[in-house]
Amino acid sequence: MGILQRMSMIFRAKADRALDRAEDPRETLDYSYKKQLELLQKVRRGVADVATSRKRIEVQMSQLSGQGAKLQEQAQRALGLGREDLAREALTRRSALETQISDLQVQHANLQGEEEKLTLAAQRLQAKVESFRTKKETIKASYTAAEAQTRIGEAFSGISEEMSDVGMAVQRAEDKTAAMQARAGAIDELLASGALDDPTGTAKDDITAELDRLASTSDVELELARMKQEITAGPAEAPRQIEGEAQPTGEQESPQTQPQTQPQVQPEEGRP
Amino acid sequence: MIVRIMGEGQFEIDDSRLQDLNALDDALTAAVEAGDDARFRPALAALLDAVRQAGTPVADDALVDSDLVLPYTDAHIDDVRAMLSGEGLIPG
């Protein structure tokens, strides 16, 4: 016998056991209806739980993307200051983030699929429960316990199988959500520990601190160079001379071009 | 004939398609019995696709038993084996 038939028999055997338990089969109807409503609540909670997990992943993805963009900027800034080592460090961290993000994208798609499936399952179950309620009332009103037996079998068919299926689907969704939350928790911890830096950018990470230090150092160097030139060239001429030097390079006032304009001064100062 | 894909709902399929489904079911059964996940995955996918293509979804409010039940899309071979051995994968 193939798997398809064996599986359907397993579902059916379970429905039969539920029916056999009751003394007055009509009581089974009310009991089952109660169970159906409980399951419906459970499925709806399941949909909400999956949605919560999905949204949490969305927040984390945007936090990680923000981090990635920041590291990219840092890499550019570091290269501008001639610090390839810092730029490399920033890009390495960014690449680790990219891996995290693409992993989260997979989880996100997974949860989204689960959410859609459960939403549809809730709709189907609700329609079936409503159908069952109508049948149940008819049976209770029109038949004796003995007569009800066969009618109840009819009413039960389908709903019991649906409940088993939906019950298992909710369980699977819960398992997936739990696994996802554990991973999301790990990423939250990583973000909080500062290993990936604060997404708000308030706390300075080590790369930013180093870049800021470099920038202020080169400001000092420039200022010193300017002052030295004033002394050697004489106070009156100095400002014009500097302006004259700045002109040919146009708008390039970024730090990396400036050391080139005073190559002879830099080495004397003994850069750190 | 009514076929359920677990987690997706029921489909009504014309009996004339039973032969095709049986052939696909045989492949799936062989894979499960051999414990061969590499064969199980494509066999399950083929069977589910065949049911989705040949079947018409059963109305949501219909209360009807399925003649055949198929595992859910991302079921692992171990899940299916556990279900068949009746080890309580179906709650209640």
Side-chain angles (χ1 to χ4, degrees), chain A residues 55-247:
Chain A
K55 284 174 199 155
R56 187 172 177 194
I57 284 183
E58 280 164 13
V59 169
Q60 289 189 327
M61 285 201 296
S62 81
Q63 283 177 339
L64 292 175
S65 301
Q67 286 293 318
K70 191 178 162 190
L71 285 164
Q72 173 84 30
E73 274 169 36
Q74 286 179 334
Q76 254 150 11
R77 212 175 136 203
L79 264 192
L81 289 166
R83 286 291 302 273
E84 200 179 318
D85 58 329
L86 270 185
R88 176 168 285 121
E89 173 62 24
L91 290 178
T92 307
R93 288 187 199 177
R94 196 183 70 113
S95 135
L97 286 187
E98 296 294 326
T99 313
Q100 293 266 24
I101 291 171
S102 63
D103 182 48
L104 283 183
Q105 274 163 348
V106 174
Q107 316 298 338
H108 185 259
N110 207 327
L111 281 184
Q112 217 162 22
E114 209 61 41
E115 195 178 336
E116 279 161 25
K117 271 191 273 179
L118 268 194
T119 304
L120 289 174
Q123 276 170 23
R124 275 197 308 272
L125 184 62
Q126 183 171 11
K128 286 195 193 320
V129 168
E130 190 50 41
S131 253
F132 181 87
R133 193 185 62 81
T134 311
K135 277 196 179 186
K136 170 175 87 80
E137 293 312 320
T138 311
I139 291 169
K140 279 170 69 182
S142 345
Y143 299 94
T144 62
E147 286 170 333
Q149 192 77 58
T150 53
R151 303 284 165 177
I152 288 169
E154 287 167 25
F156 259 99
S157 65
I159 193 80
S160 165
E161 186 185 299
E162 189 74 27
M163 285 174 71
S164 296
D165 188 11
V166 170
M168 290 171 78
V170 175
Q171 189 57 54
R172 287 197 300 277
E174 276 173 6
D175 291 348
K176 279 189 187 172
T177 310
M180 226 63 89
Q181 270 165 352
R183 302 173 74 133
I187 290 177
D188 275 347
E189 265 174 43
L190 208 58
L191 283 164
S193 74
L196 296 175
D197 190 31
D198 178 2
T200 58
T202 46
K204 274 185 188 168
D205 60 285
D206 51 352
I207 294 182
T208 302
E210 175 70 2
L211 288 173
D212 286 351
R213 198 185 61 75
L214 280 175
S216 66
T217 309
S218 74
D219 284 348
V220 170
E221 297 298 328
L222 285 173
E223 184 65 15
L224 279 172
R226 194 183 64 78
M227 289 167 103
K228 279 184 188 169
Q229 253 175 347
E230 273 179 17
I231 290 164
T232 50
E237 289 175 45
R240 241 176 289 137
Q241 201 179 349
I242 284 175
E243 272 173 27
E245 275 178 26
Q247 229 80 59

Side-chain angles (χ1 to χ4, degrees), chain A residues 1-8 10-12 14 17 110 114 117 120-121 123-125 127-129 131-132 135 154-159 161-162 164-165 167-169 172 176, chain B residues 4-10 21-22 25-26 28-29 32-33 47 58-74 80 83-86 89-92:
Chain A
M1 199 192 313
I3 283 176
L4 307 187
Q5 266 165 314
R6 274 154 70 192
M7 293 213 3
S8 72
I10 291 165
F11 275 84
R12 208 163 295 163
K14 191 176 164 285
R17 279 201 303 278
N110 207 327
E114 209 61 41
K117 271 191 273 179
L120 289 174
Q123 276 170 23
R124 275 197 308 272
L125 184 62
K128 286 195 193 320
V129 168
S131 253
F132 181 87
K135 277 196 179 186
E154 287 167 25
F156 259 99
S157 65
I159 193 80
E161 186 185 299
E162 189 74 27
S164 296
D165 188 11
M168 290 171 78
R172 287 197 300 277
K176 279 189 187 172
Chain B
R4 171 181 295 274
I5 297 179
M6 289 174 66
E8 277 180 50
Q10 295 168 298
L21 291 186
N22 268 333
D25 186 23
D26 288 345
L28 187 70
T29 306
V32 169
E33 274 162 12
L47 191 49
V58 170
D60 281 357
D61 61 353
L63 294 176
V64 53
D65 268 340
S66 304
D67 300 292
L68 302 173
V69 175
L70 272 75
Y72 44 94
T73 313
D74 51 354
V80 175
M83 278 187 270
L84 291 176
S85 70
L89 262 189
I90 302 178

Side-chain angles (χ1 to χ4, degrees), chain A residues 42-55 111 173-174 177 181:
Chain A
K42 199 176 168 189
V43 180
R44 287 182 182 142
R45 268 202 309 276
V47 173
D49 286 350
V50 175
T52 305
S53 254
R54 173 180 56 77
K55 284 174 199 155
L111 281 184
E174 276 173 6
T177 310
Q181 270 165 352

